[in-house]
DNA sequence: GTGACCTGTTTGTCCGACAATCATACGATC
DNA sequence: GATCGTATGATTGTCGGACAAACAGGTCAC
């Protein structure tokens, strides 16, 4: 017998309520889209005050497990959207002093195999998505504000084309963290958009041909180009990634 | 001028409060460890009711941006811990019908380059961490409940050894999702622990020698072994990953 | 069919209250 | 001097009740 005692954890009621509801959702006893009872009703069922229920709902809401549908008052169960989840990851990484090099290294590891997987698994609609994203970037290449979003959109389509949610979600935080430095690069390096357009076209061709290796190769070059761009733009790789201005933004409800 | 109007977003007060405090933290105006004012004081400053402040705090708390230190009442600013963030990601993926194959594919993409990076960037303490984790797994290899945790711990040490927070955080959700199927595998395949011990030893040797390519190669085999293990254990790759029983658990405060 | 009007429900926010816990200081005891 | 007990004030967790605004649904006139 040990003389040591484990510190005993006192769980506040609002947390227990959140965990209980959350477990129901994760176990799929509550299905997506299903409406939650009203706050008053939940308070009655859990035998706690409505304020306590509300604190629990805020927690579930911020995890994306529940959501208010547009124009509705009742909360409904929802699957966390990629961007919401990724925002949490991005924020965590920002506070952990992530450098541009760290993000770039992760991209250079993840993206080429992701492109290969996309080339192999892509369907016709995926192709359309990728090609549309490439076209829009090409059109808006000079507005750096828009351009970075289009680049991210291109990658996102690629991620979807893998039909592997893990890969799609894994790259999302990287895209978010990439934005600020990419914007600077596009602003400072006149030839950057052109090189991106080329890479996107080659990648699209590889996807059309279902040529995984070509996609891998072109993505490798594409990512390596980024690091060259950083150099030319005078962005130090050891620089900390800066917070996006839109961080912790309000989620738009569709 | 367009005739269309954008749907106007009404932001509740609790959300504005959360966003405001969150932005302060992300911009590092509030530094880690710093104490937040009391709820009453925050309510006074924002000119809202304490209940409103509390709802905002629940949101920040669930994002890991604030935390109550053990045995303290006042909230203090904190950096989100990897495991907390990863839990959100895991839950999101669970609800997005992720299959064993999806997780395995992501592991096979991420882990070999991660091992290579670890072999190149590792320091002496990292080595100790990895070697300790390997030793503990070897000792507890027969208790499948413990064993899966030790496997995850081994990977975590590897992730830390890369000195790239992005990589460490990227693999965390994978480790969490891997657990259930890995437990089944260890239970059903007698020779599985032995193969894992071997792989871990080889990886450790590669790290000691700073041999990135060897680490990459051995990790590739290690991950491929998993898929063979799944086959032997009769785990269908198309099976949905099941929820961990500890999901949404209370965070233990150190 | 359209619009006006009413009614009950639900949320967002507020106010006030109280017990339990924590921080701190001050003695009392050994 | 170190440990313990106690008093005091601050803070949190939870509660009860309250009310305006927004929404859902029905009814009714036109």
């Amino acid at each position: 017998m040990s003389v040591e005692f484990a510190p005993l954890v006192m769980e506040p009621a609002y947390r227990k309520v959140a965990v209980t509801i959350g477990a129901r959702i994760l176990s799929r006893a509550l299905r997506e889209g299903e409406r939650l009872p009203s706050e008053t009703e939940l308070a009655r069922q859990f035998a706690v005050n409505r304020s306590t229920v509300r604190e629990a709902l805020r927690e579930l809401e911020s995890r994306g497990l529940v959501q208010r549908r547009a124009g509705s008052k009742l909360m409904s169960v929802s699957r966390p959207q990629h961007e919401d989840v990724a925002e949490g990851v991005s924020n965590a990484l920002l506070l952990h002093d992530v450098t541009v090099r760290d993000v770039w290294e992760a991209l250079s590891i993840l993206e080429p195999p992701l492109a290969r997987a996309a080339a192999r698994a892509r369907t016709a609609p995926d192709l359309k998505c990728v090609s549309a994203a490439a076209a829009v970037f090409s059109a808006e290449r000079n507005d750096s504000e828009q351009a970075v979003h289009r680049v991210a959109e291109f990658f996102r389509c690629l991620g979807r084309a893998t039909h592997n949610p893990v890969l799609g979600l894994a790259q999302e935080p990287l895209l978010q963290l990439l934005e600020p430095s990419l914007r600077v690069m596009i602003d400072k390096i006149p030839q950057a958009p052109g090189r991106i357009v080329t890479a996107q076209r080659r990648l699209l061709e590889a996807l059309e041909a279902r040529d995984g290796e070509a996609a891998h190769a072109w993505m490798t070059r594409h990512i390596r180009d980024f690091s060259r761009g950083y150099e030319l733009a005078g962005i130090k790789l050891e620089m900390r990634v800066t917070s996006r201005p839109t961080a912790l933004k309000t989620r738009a409800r569709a």
Side-chain angles (χ1 to χ4, degrees), chain A:
Chain A
M1 262 314 208
S2 163
V3 203
E4 289 249 340
F5 291 97
L8 53 87
V9 285
M10 293 285 288
E11 240 190 346
Y14 64 78
R15 177 148 270 282
K16 281 189 185 171
V17 172
V19 170
T20 307
I21 300 180
R24 280 282 181 94
I25 296 176
L26 287 177
S27 75
R28 302 186 184 244
L30 289 170
R31 276 165 308 179
E32 189 197 352
E34 206 163 334
R35 289 218 192 142
L36 248 53
S38 75
E39 297 175 352
T40 317
E41 174 60 16
L42 285 173
R44 193 191 62 74
Q45 291 183 20
F46 284 106
V48 298
N49 193 277
R50 191 161 77 97
S51 310
T52 306
V53 169
R54 284 180 64 82
E55 293 186 39
L57 287 179
R58 291 299 89 77
E59 180 164 337
L60 294 170
E61 193 181 24
S62 94
R63 294 184 185 229
L65 291 177
V66 303
Q67 210 182 20
R68 220 179 330 285
R69 268 184 301 203
S72 170
K73 293 188 95 78
L74 282 152
M75 292 283 217
S76 58
V77 177
S78 68
R79 300 191 294 188
Q81 292 307 297
H82 281 194
E83 281 160 28
D84 302 339
V85 180
E87 196 172 298
V89 179
S90 301
N91 292 342
L93 288 173
L94 278 175
L95 289 173
H96 277 277
D97 299 329
V98 165
T99 65
V100 175
R101 178 195 301 283
D102 292 331
V103 175
W104 180 84
E105 184 180 15
L107 278 173
S108 71
I109 287 176
L110 179 65
E111 294 298 340
L114 186 145
R116 173 162 48 202
R120 289 176 180 166
R122 63 92 177 158
T123 61
D126 297 329
L127 215 54
K128 203 179 293 180
C129 175
V130 174
S131 122
V136 175
F137 172 79
S138 180
E140 297 183 359
R141 65 169 89 177
N142 293 320
D143 177 356
S144 74
E145 182 63 38
Q146 288 301 316
V148 290
H149 291 136
R150 301 316 173 187
V151 169
E153 194 53 31
F154 180 86
F155 279 106
R156 266 183 214 113
C157 290
L158 234 47
R160 263 194 294 275
T162 65
H163 293 273
N164 182 340
V166 183
L167 298 180
L169 187 45
Q171 73 169 350
E172 186 65 34
L174 300 180
L175 301 179
Q176 292 185 7
L177 294 172
L178 180 68
E179 277 192 21
S181 55
L182 185 57
R183 182 174 311 130
V184 173
M185 192 203 298
I186 291 183
D187 269 336
K188 286 200 181 173
I189 313 289
Q191 65 269 33
R195 293 192 68 98
I196 295 178
V197 167
T198 305
Q200 290 187 347
R201 192 172 46 227
R202 299 294 185 174
L203 280 164
L204 182 56
E205 288 167 9
L207 254 68
E208 277 168 352
R210 291 195 192 281
D211 186 341
E213 294 316 313
H216 186 283
W218 274 104
M219 183 59 92
T220 305
R221 288 201 205 182
H222 188 28
I223 302 293
R224 202 182 303 139
D225 252 17
F226 281 172
S227 97
R228 218 172 301 151
Y230 285 142
E231 211 173 307
L232 290 175
I235 299 173
K236 292 269 181 295
L237 286 182
E238 306 310 328
M239 227 169 51
R240 272 216 322 256
V241 175
T242 61
S243 153
R244 299 178 309 134
T246 58
L248 256 177
K249 68 165 181 289
T250 308
R251 287 179 284 272
R253 319 216 186 280

